[in-house]
Amino acid sequence: MKPGIHPAYGPVVFRDKAADFAFLTRSTARGEKTIVWEDGNTYSVIDVEISSASHPFYTGTARVLDTAGRVERFERRYGPRGTR
């Protein structure tokens, strides 16, 4: 790799405030705030709106959509498939 052209890659804390969940990982992104982590070190923190702790797919609270009803409503509005 060429020196001096790549962004700094280091530890960063991503925090999901909605789920009160945070994890330490490595990234090129840097947040403006800092946080003292469980190991006693200070890291840059990035607040995210959704993570695996709050996403409906991962938490099991996902809703099943009524796709059959949507198809029927579309066909009533625009006609059945293949009629054009």
Side-chain angles (χ1 to χ4, degrees), residues 2 13 21 42-43 48 50 55 62 69-70 83-84:
K2 290 184 179 180
V13 174
F21 176 72
T42 302
Y43 299 108
V48 294
I50 196 160
H55 193 279
R70 289 183 179 197
T83 59
R84 294 183 195 179

Side-chain angles (χ1 to χ4, degrees), residues 43-55:
Y43 299 108
S44 176
V45 64
I46 297 174
D47 291 324
V48 294
E49 294 185 21
I50 196 160
S51 69
S52 60
S54 61
H55 193 279

Side-chain angles (χ1 to χ4, degrees), residues 20-52:
D20 195 29
F21 176 72
F23 58 94
L24 177 65
T25 188
R26 294 177 56 98
S27 176
T28 59
R30 292 284 175 252
E32 296 176 5
K33 301 177 191 172
T34 59
I35 188 172
V36 177
W37 192 243
E38 300 161 352
D39 61 2
N41 294 327
T42 302
Y43 299 108
S44 176
V45 64
I46 297 174
D47 291 324
V48 294
E49 294 185 21
I50 196 160
S51 69
S52 60

